[in-house]
């Protein structure tokens, strides 16, 4: 389990990513988490960046908060209503970005794309 504490809707909340997050998201949305994570990465990397599906974003944040607090036998400090009515837009973006980073840490995804190796001087490349 990968975790990070953030402030959202005026509350300190720990978000977690592990298989429990994936199960919680599936229970809330009846969809797999991986396509939405991909959609979110594309949306946030667009010029200008934009938020992906708001409903799914809120459910993802709730799922990742629930995962942490359920693993500790505690009640989550946030609910969907907190995110819908008491949350600033940038807070949702920060929470979503945090979850994407936790996802990448959990699955050991490198932050940068690997660079192609440069051919050594004097050697011909195959099929060149």
């Amino acid at each position: 389990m990968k975790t990070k504490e953030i402030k959202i809707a005026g509350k300190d909340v720990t978000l977690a990513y592990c298989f429990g997050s994936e199960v919680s998201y599936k229970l809330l949305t009846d969809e797999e988490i991986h396509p939405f994570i991909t959609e979110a990465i594309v949306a946030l990397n667009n010029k200008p960046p934009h938020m992906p599906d708001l409903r799914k974003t809120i459910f993802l944040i709730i799922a990742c908060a629930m995962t942490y607090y359920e693993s500790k036998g505690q009640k989550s400090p946030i609910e969907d209503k907190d995110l819908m009515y008491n949350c600033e837009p940038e807070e949702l973006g920060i929470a979503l970005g945090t979850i994407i980073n936790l996802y990448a840490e959990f699955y050991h995804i490198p932050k940068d794309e690997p660079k192609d190796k440069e051919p050594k001087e004097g050697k011909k490349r195959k099929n060149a």
Side-chain angles (χ1 to χ4, degrees), residues 32-102:
E32 295 296 326
I33 201 168
H34 305 290
F36 179 65
I37 293 282
T38 302
E39 176 187 329
I41 291 168
V42 169
L44 294 176
N45 286 324
N46 275 344
K47 301 291 184 221
H50 67 276
M51 287 295 288
D53 184 284
L54 186 57
R55 180 181 139 289
K56 291 178 185 178
T57 299
I58 288 172
F59 281 143
L60 179 63
I61 296 166
I62 293 298
C64 290
M66 281 177 23
T67 296
Y68 176 78
Y69 291 99
E70 284 180 2
S71 77
K72 302 295 181 196
Q74 301 172 1
K75 184 179 182 304
S76 176
I78 60 167
E79 297 177 353
D80 57 347
K81 291 176 183 157
D82 295 313
L83 300 178
M84 290 189 293
Y85 305 124
N86 303 320
C87 188
E88 296 295 323
E90 58 272 2
E91 290 178 308
L92 282 183
I94 289 168
L96 182 57
T98 299
I99 293 166
I100 290 169
N101 287 332
L102 293 172

